[in-house]
Structures are given as structure tokens and as C-alpha cells.
Amino acid sequence: MKRHSCCYKQKLRKGLWSPEEDEKLLNYITKHGHGCWSSVPKLAGLERCGKSCRLRWINYLRPDLKRGAFSSEEQNLIVELHAVLGNRWSQIAARLPGRTDNEIKNLWNSCIKKKLMKKGIDPITHKPLSEKEESNSVSLRNSLSSMIPTQFNIDDGSVSNAGFDTQVCVKPSIILLPPPNNTSSTVSGQDHVNVSEPNWESNSGTTSHLNNPGMEEMKWSEEYLNESLFSTQVYVKSETDFNSNIAFPWSQSQACDVFPKDLQRMAFSFGGQTL
DNA sequence: AAATTGAGCAACCGCATTCCT
DNA sequence: GAGGAATGCGGTTGCTCAATT
């Protein structure tokens, strides 16, 4: 690994953290809070850069971290959220209390990705692998359309597909309900996210997807939804919750980050379904 | 028993964004 | 508004360890 430029300048330590270093950092932040990260190492008596201290705290020392393996519910939620949010690990992590973006990213790259591939699902597009070519052409059309913001009708909270023949087959089973009155992009009241779990262990039907392109879309979609071992319902309470930490794509704090790019993606993922 | 391979994880890097002067 | 510092994020690398040959 290369060394941070700041670490070169100050001859700072790098690599794995020793228990002593952990203790110093933990003690310091417990007593004083982290404040300005760049000053933490000096004040805590560590020969590390602030960036390294921040990462160590967030990924390992934070007291609210959940330890241990990911449950199937968590894994399922990650898949569903990834279908909507893509590689926005920090946003995904915000919806999984006690889990870090790094942890989720590692899990995705080392485990979930392979499981999806094994099931014949493209981990990037969340579609059957056989549809990749078609998907590429749709992606191209979508990126072209994103250059034309007037194609979106954001005012009423809905997303128009601008006349594209949206034969998108995969509907993430997270159901993102729109704001009640469809007049803003923020969330009020109680939102309901319905998560159903793909059956990781079952390979039945996988090959048939590849052999029967005609029926493939509908079949895959139904199977994706019906094969679930169970459904988990995640309730996201209120706008206040969103703005405090658990931000959903349309929440105020995230809205500018979401539109129109994310709406495009969401519209695509939902097969042109109006939100 | 030694060597090889692969999975899982921790940490770093570079870039983008935000904050501050 | 400009420029530098601080922070946050996603991609990537490299280490460890268990399983396999």
C-alpha cells in the first residue's frame, strides 16, 4: 500500500492498528469526542493521520457497531437497496444500523455478488445475466435521456419515462411509496419499505431463464418476488428520522443528490412504474 | 508437512465535496 | 469569489488465515 502524502511528511504510522493505539483513540474520543479529526491523533498521542483515525473509529471502534455475521434479512436488504441506490455504500449503510459502509461494501464484493451471479443475476443491473446486452442499450438510452431534464415530471412526484418502451423486467421488492400528496420530494408520515428475500440457496429455474428469452422477463420477475422465503417490512418513520440520519433518496437532505439522476435509476429499476 | 489458493477483512488512496479564512 | 484544509466516499490493495492440493 502506498502511504498518504500527509503520512510521508510526518513519518506517521500506517497499517494495522495495535490494541494500544485503539485504546488511545477510544479513550480520547470517549472523553472529548472527535472534534476536528486532523487534531485527534496529536491530542490522543497517536502517530497516525486524522484520516486514518477517523476510519478506524467509524469502521471498528464506534460503540454502536454491530458485530458478527450479516443476517439473511440484512443481506436481503442490502440487495434491495443496492438495486435502487447502486454502489452508494454510505447511503445503504445508513439504513442498516450498526453496519459500516466498508463492511457492506466488503460483503457485497466478496459474497453477495457471487451469490447473485450464481443465480444468474447481474449484480450491477440486478437483471438476469442474459439480458445484459439489452440492458446496455437501455442504459445508453437512459443516459441520453438524462441530458434532457424536462423529460421528468418532478412536480407531481411522478417519473415519466419519456416514451421509452420500458420492458424492464426486474422490480426490486422494496416498495418506495411516494409522498402522500405527491407535491414534494420530501417524505412525511410513515413510509413503508417492503423487502422480500431472494432464495439464495435455490438454483432451480436459473437455467430456464437463459433458455427461454421470450418468457424470461415475466418469469424472472415473478420468481424473484415469489421465491422469497419471507418478507420483511421495514418502516421508516418520518421525515425527522430521515433528516437525522436515515436518509431516503427523496428526503430533503438528499434530494439534490437524488434528482434527476436517481429518479432516472429508480424509474428504470421499477420498470417505468410511476412512484 | 509444505505450498498454493481463495475468501474475508482492514486499511489506504484518490477524488469530490464541504467548510473556513 | 478564491484557495486551501478538512472531511466523506467509493474503489482498490494487501494481509491473514483456513481449506485444498
Side-chain angles (χ1 to χ4, degrees):
Chain A
M1 278 184 230
K2 283 183 285 182
R3 192 183 291 250
H4 279 158
S5 55
C6 60
C7 301
Y8 270 123
K9 284 178 197 166
Q10 301 168 42
K11 292 182 181 176
L12 299 175
R13 269 177 57 81
K14 59 170 283 188
L16 295 179
W17 281 64
S18 68
E20 291 76 23
E21 287 178 305
D22 280 344
E23 197 182 339
K24 282 182 181 176
L25 183 59
L26 184 61
N27 285 340
Y28 176 79
I29 294 181
T30 304
K31 285 180 188 167
H32 307 98
H34 62 72
C36 172
W37 280 112
S38 58
S39 60
V40 164
K42 194 178 175 183
L43 296 170
L46 292 161
E47 293 177 346
R48 296 268 181 178
C49 67
K51 208 169 177 177
S52 181
C53 292
R54 175 184 161 272
L55 208 63
R56 185 62 177 172
W57 174 257
I58 289 172
N59 288 336
Y60 191 81
L61 295 175
R62 249 169 54 198
D64 60 325
L65 284 181
K66 193 191 280 184
R67 296 280 169 200
F70 281 77
S71 69
S72 55
E73 288 92 340
E74 284 176 313
Q75 290 191 36
N76 178 50
L77 186 54
I78 291 167
V79 173
E80 301 292 345
L81 289 168
H82 186 273
V84 177
L85 297 169
N87 291 2
R88 291 174 186 171
W89 306 116
S90 61
Q91 289 187 31
I92 293 173
R95 292 154 182 81
L96 283 133
R99 301 297 189 180
T100 69
D101 53 353
N102 206 34
E103 207 176 4
I104 293 168
K105 181 170 61 183
N106 283 335
L107 180 77
W108 180 268
N109 288 326
S110 66
C111 181
I112 295 180
K113 227 174 174 179
K114 288 169 192 166
K115 284 179 177 175
L116 288 174
M117 296 283 278
K118 202 174 172 184
K119 278 192 71 78
I121 300 168
D122 187 330
I124 299 169
T125 63
H126 292 257
K127 297 161 179 257
L129 285 167
S130 59
E131 288 189 7
K132 197 162 188 177
E133 285 181 15
E134 187 191 347
S135 150
N136 287 341
S137 70
V138 174
S139 296
L140 177 61
R141 280 180 301 178
N142 273 343
S143 44
L144 287 172
S145 81
S146 70
M147 299 172 183
I148 314 169
T150 53
Q151 303 282 13
F152 295 97
N153 183 4
I154 297 175
D155 287 343
D156 66 358
S158 67
V159 178
S160 149
N161 270 302
F164 286 149
D165 52 331
T166 50
Q167 298 178 2
V168 183
C169 63
V170 178
K171 297 176 183 176
S173 50
I174 289 182
I175 299 166
L176 303 171
L177 296 182
N181 56 9
N182 283 352
T183 55
S184 81
S185 61
T186 61
V187 175
S188 60
Q190 191 177 62
D191 289 288
H192 171 202
V193 180
N194 186 6
V195 180
S196 52
E197 182 185 30
N199 183 352
W200 295 118
E201 308 310 323
S202 166
N203 283 320
S204 63
T206 303
T207 50
S208 69
H209 295 145
L210 305 176
N211 297 337
N212 193 353
M215 293 293 290
E216 186 177 295
E217 291 175 358
M218 189 179 74
K219 224 178 149 184
W220 192 93
S221 177
E222 280 180 11
E223 183 175 15
Y224 186 83
L225 295 171
N226 296 338
E227 218 179 42
S228 307
L229 293 176
F230 57 85
S231 280
T232 308
Q233 293 192 337
V234 179
Y235 292 94
V236 182
K237 289 176 189 169
S238 66
E239 187 174 358
T240 319
D241 285 346
F242 289 147
N243 291 338
S244 62
N245 220 350
I246 310 169
F248 255 66
W250 50 69
S251 73
Q252 241 170 1
S253 61
Q254 299 285 325
C256 54
D257 185 41
V258 169
F259 295 110
K261 193 173 62 181
D262 288 352
L263 277 177
Q264 180 88 49
R265 188 206 300 266
M266 287 162 70
F268 182 63
S269 297
F270 286 103
Q273 194 175 15
T274 299
L275 292 173

